[in-house]
């Protein structure tokens, strides 16, 4: 899972300074022409004047460059920063106030799966608004639009899940999942000993207090540690950094299952509520997929001890990895599942919890009430957007396109960047791919965090002549050191778009490391 912006991913104290950002002199051979001409007509010797993700020297009241704006009233991600002003968007492109066209190769924060300005979704939202009921209080009223969306979501699991609970964000969905998991046991035993959640290191599940407590993201947890509940940890499933020489998938999975079993035994199996993981880790590690067999093995450990198996697919789900749900790749359904970003593609703020039959039955066999609720849950206008997004995906066969274009993206990235001395790993699934950067390819040693490598890549990519988004992340190795970037194009991208994305990505990577070592 990930936040809804990319510029906050550099850890505190690790922002590149002006001395880190050098003049960018573009070399020929990395970028080819593309629609709208946004990579054409550049000359050598232009300057990448970005610091802290956007502009050099704009803090403390200095003048913003043309097309940038420093917020005066909005408490945004960094109130010292000036951000490029977006004036419009269509398809894969964003139009900036400075006249540039940006290719959105990350769908924002892996959100805008249908691209920008989809008329079908806009019309569906407008139609619901015109009814006069964009909002209804879920304590008083029901809505056919909301019920239709939930039916669509349940049907998309092929009967493996039974109901959907709608929220306004992925963080809210994880918060609801944790509470529902606890209530599942509390319904039958007010004195239930099940109080422990197990999650993973190198994970991110949201920014609300409960969701952040489940998260293993060191930097985001740090300011709030005294407030966070005590969640127990096992290691991530990161084959690139954890697999032993010659170790098979089966042996690696067996090690992971033994580690989870040991944690159950340490805590007391009867005290564990559930285990939470991301099938493909997003922002925290940069598109690290679990190895084949991992999900089934982890679920088996949970179910052996009567605990719940909980999947966070806010970032990796809803088609992003080439199946509607990432778990469908191996057919390992969870007991609870969060979904979000690709649910409405950014056209409305909505996420959800998908709930298995056994959890629903526990509610039906008691009070029937989930002791939780929020003002803006299950709004009809949110549901209208999400339902139309799902219809577009299905009717235009876009998840098949994710598989086709994702395979092509993997092929090109590996062909063009596998041999780069500072690209340690290229990993992902579907249209969800990460590049991890290393100082030493043989030892996998990360760069000094003070160099801000991921942020340099982002800064260079978003600047002319490249004019493309690449989603940066840090702390990849141990929560502090380690750099990666994510590519997460729209589901509507073509092979020509993939060619462009890879050409730009290759050019950016070569440029950043050429500058670093020059």
């Amino acid at each position: 899972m990930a936040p809804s912006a990319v510029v906050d991913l550099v850890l505190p104290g690790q922002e590149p300074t002006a001395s880190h950002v050098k003049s960018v002199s573009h070399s020929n051979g990395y970028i080819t022409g593309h629609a709208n001409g946004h990579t054409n007509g550049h000359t050598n010797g232009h300057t990448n004047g970005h610091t802290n993700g956007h502009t050099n020297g704009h803090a403390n009241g200095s003048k913003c460059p043309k097309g940038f704006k420093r917020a005066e009233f909005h408490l945004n991600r960094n109130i010292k920063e000036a951000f490029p002003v977006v004036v419009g968007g269509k398809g894969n492109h964003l139009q900036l106030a400075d006249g540039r066209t940006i290719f959105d190769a990350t769908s924002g924060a892996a959100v805008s799966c249908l691209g920008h300005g989809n008329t079908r979704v806009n019309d569906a939202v407008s139609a619901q608004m015109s009814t006069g009921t964009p909002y209804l209080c879920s304590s008083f009223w029901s809505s056919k639009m909301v019920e239709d969306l939930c039916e669509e979501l349940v049907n998309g699991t092929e009967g493996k899940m039974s109901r959907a609970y709608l929220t306004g964000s992925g963080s809210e969905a994880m918060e609801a999942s944790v509470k529902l998991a606890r209530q599942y046991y509390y319904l039958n035993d007010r004195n239930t000993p099940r109080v422990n959640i197990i999650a993973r290191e190198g994970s991110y599940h949201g920014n609300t207090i409960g969701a952040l407590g489940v998260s293993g993201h060191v930097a985001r947890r740090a300011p709030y540690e005294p407030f966070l509940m005590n969640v127990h940890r096992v290691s991530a499933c990161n084959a690139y950094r954890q697999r032993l020489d010659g170790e098979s998938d089966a042996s690696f999975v067996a090690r992971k299952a033994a580690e989870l079993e040991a944690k159950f035994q340490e805590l007391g199996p009867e005290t564990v509520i559930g285990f939470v993981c991301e099938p493909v880790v997003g922002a925290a590690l940069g598109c690290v997929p679990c190895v084949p067999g991992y999900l089934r093995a982890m679920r088996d450990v949970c179910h052996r001890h009567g605990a719940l198996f909980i999947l966070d697919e806010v970032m990796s789900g809803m088609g992003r990895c080439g199946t509607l749900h990432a778990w469908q790749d191996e057919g390992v359904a969870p007991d609870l599942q969060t979904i979000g970003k690709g649910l409405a593609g950014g056209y409305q703020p909505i996420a959800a919890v998908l709930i298995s039959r056994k959890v629903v039955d526990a509610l039906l066999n008691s009070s029937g009430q989930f002791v939780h609720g929020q003002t803006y849950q299950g709004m009809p206008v949110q549901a209208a957007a999400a339902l139309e997004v799902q219809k577009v995906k299905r009717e235009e066969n876009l998840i098949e396109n994710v598989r086709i274009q994702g395979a092509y993206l993997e092929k090109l990235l590996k062909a063009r960047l596998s041999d780069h001395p500072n690209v340690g790993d290229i990993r992902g699934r579907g249209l969800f791919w990460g590049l991890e950067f290393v100082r030493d390819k043989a030892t996998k040693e990360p760069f000094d965090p003070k160099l801000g490598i991921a942020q340099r890549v982002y800064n260079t990519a978003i600047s002319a002549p490249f004019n493309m988004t690449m989603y940066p992340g840090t702390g990849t190795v141990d929560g502090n050191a380690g750099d990666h970037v994510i590519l997460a194009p729209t589901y509507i991208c073509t092979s020509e778009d993939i060619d462009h994305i890879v050409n730009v990505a290759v050019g950016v990577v070569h440029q950043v490391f050429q500058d670093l070592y020059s």
Side-chain angles (χ1 to χ4, degrees):
M1 181 174 177
S4 56
V6 298
V7 295
D8 64 333
L9 295 176
V10 176
L11 295 178
Q14 295 179 11
E15 293 88 347
T17 64
S19 63
H20 291 146
V21 184
K22 300 183 179 182
S23 174
V24 176
S25 56
H26 177 61
S27 301
N28 290 330
Y30 295 127
I31 296 188
T32 59
H34 195 70
N36 296 322
H38 56 276
T39 60
N40 294 333
H42 57 271
T43 59
N44 290 339
H46 62 279
T47 299
N48 176 1
H50 283 30
T51 305
N52 282 342
H54 291 290
T55 62
N56 183 8
H58 59 254
N60 300 320
S62 59
K63 185 177 180 180
C64 295
K66 178 184 176 183
F68 284 67
K69 183 175 177 57
R70 187 180 305 107
E72 298 178 60
F73 306 103
H74 176 212
L75 185 67
N76 58 17
R77 297 298 180 113
N78 187 334
I79 60 175
K80 291 185 176 182
E81 287 291 325
F83 293 84
V85 176
V86 176
V87 296
K90 188 65 179 176
N92 290 311
H93 301 93
L94 293 169
Q95 300 293 333
L96 302 190
D98 64 8
R100 289 187 296 141
T101 299
I102 301 294
F103 190 99
D104 187 2
T106 61
S107 304
V111 172
S112 303
C113 56
L114 299 189
H116 306 282
N118 185 285
T119 55
R120 280 186 57 176
V121 184
N122 288 342
D123 289 347
V125 170
S126 179
Q128 183 59 44
M129 292 290 288
S130 70
T131 69
T133 55
Y135 158 80
L136 289 172
C137 178
S138 59
S139 297
F140 303 154
W141 315 110
S142 65
S143 162
K144 184 177 185 303
M145 183 64 72
V146 168
E147 183 67 10
D148 287 350
L149 171 62
C150 292
E151 181 180 12
E152 172 82 16
L153 297 179
V154 168
N155 289 344
T157 70
E158 299 172 329
K160 298 296 194 300
M161 309 302 269
S162 180
R163 300 240 180 175
Y165 179 84
L166 304 182
T167 70
S169 71
S171 296
E172 293 174 31
M174 180 51 64
E175 200 87 16
S177 293
V178 170
K179 293 175 78 172
L180 184 55
R182 163 66 181 174
Q183 190 178 335
Y184 172 72
Y185 298 100
Y186 181 82
L187 289 170
N188 291 325
D189 180 3
R190 296 293 180 92
N191 298 309
T192 177
R194 293 195 184 262
V195 296
N196 291 315
I197 299 249
I198 302 172
R200 302 193 303 186
E201 299 165 350
S203 61
Y204 180 67
H205 299 289
N207 257 330
T208 53
I209 291 297
L212 191 59
V214 178
S215 302
H217 196 294
V218 174
R220 294 195 181 120
R221 290 175 57 93
Y224 311 110
E225 284 287 358
F227 301 157
L228 302 180
M229 62 185 181
N230 185 26
V231 172
H232 307 274
R233 307 272 166 212
V234 294
S235 63
C237 182
N238 188 344
Y240 171 63
R241 291 201 166 270
Q242 298 167 348
R243 193 195 296 269
L244 303 176
D245 290 344
E247 188 174 34
S248 67
D249 283 347
S251 296
F252 184 60
V253 167
R255 247 193 327 124
K256 294 296 176 182
E259 181 184 2
L260 182 59
E261 176 66 33
K263 183 61 68 173
F264 267 82
Q265 296 303 325
E266 173 191 328
L267 299 172
E270 73 284 354
T271 74
V272 177
I273 291 172
F275 169 65
V276 182
C277 72
E278 301 161 271
V280 182
V281 181
L285 297 182
C287 302
V288 173
C290 60
V291 301
Y294 176 84
L295 293 183
R296 187 174 302 279
M298 299 300 106
R299 188 182 67 175
D300 288 349
V301 172
C302 292
H303 288 180
R304 182 160 62 244
H305 298 298
L308 296 177
F309 181 56
I310 305 168
L311 292 181
D312 178 348
E313 292 201 13
V314 167
M315 198 172 195
S316 62
M318 300 314 293
R320 174 57 61 188
C321 290
T323 50
L324 184 61
H325 303 291
W327 58 260
Q328 289 175 321
D329 188 56
E330 295 187 46
V332 183
D335 299 306
L336 295 170
Q337 175 190 351
T338 59
I339 57 176
K341 295 173 184 291
L343 177 53
Y347 288 90
Q348 283 286 303
I350 185 171
V353 182
L354 301 182
I355 309 162
S356 65
R357 168 58 62 187
K358 74 178 183 182
V359 176
V360 171
D361 284 347
L363 288 171
L364 289 172
N365 292 331
S366 59
S367 68
Q369 182 181 9
F370 176 27
V371 186
H372 181 65
Q374 294 179 290
T375 299
Y376 296 117
Q377 72 180 58
M379 287 177 58
V381 71
Q382 297 168 330
L387 181 59
E388 195 64 26
V389 167
Q390 301 318 305
K391 288 179 178 178
V392 170
K393 288 180 194 174
R394 186 174 65 252
E395 293 167 13
E396 298 185 11
N397 206 22
L398 291 183
I399 296 179
E400 175 64 16
N401 191 57
V402 171
R403 287 192 288 270
I404 293 169
Q405 304 306 334
Y408 188 48
L409 178 59
E410 175 185 11
K411 177 183 175 181
L412 291 188
L413 286 173
K414 290 182 175 179
R416 301 283 299 278
L417 286 172
S418 288
D419 291 338
H420 192 284
N422 299 115
V423 176
D425 193 30
I426 302 170
R427 69 288 185 106
R429 275 169 51 188
L431 285 174
F432 197 40
W433 285 87
L435 308 175
E436 182 173 341
F437 303 112
V438 293
R439 181 177 178 273
D440 187 299
K441 198 156 186 168
T443 65
K444 304 178 184 178
E445 177 190 356
F447 284 95
D448 185 335
K450 293 178 182 178
L451 291 173
I453 296 298
Q455 193 68 30
R456 292 191 194 210
V457 173
Y458 168 76
N459 293 344
T460 303
I462 205 72
S463 302
F466 300 105
N467 295 329
M468 188 180 85
T469 59
M470 296 177 77
Y471 187 129
T474 59
T476 320
V477 177
D478 58 9
N480 180 47
D483 296 271
H484 67 261
V485 293
I486 291 172
L487 293 169
T490 69
Y491 301 0
I492 63 172
C493 68
T494 65
S495 58
E496 290 78 14
D497 294 325
I498 298 298
D499 288 335
H500 174 72
I501 291 167
V502 174
N503 283 330
V504 173
V506 170
V508 168
V509 169
H510 281 273
Q511 188 67 66
V512 166
F513 291 105
Q514 175 183 311
D515 289 349
L516 181 70
Y517 291 118
S518 63

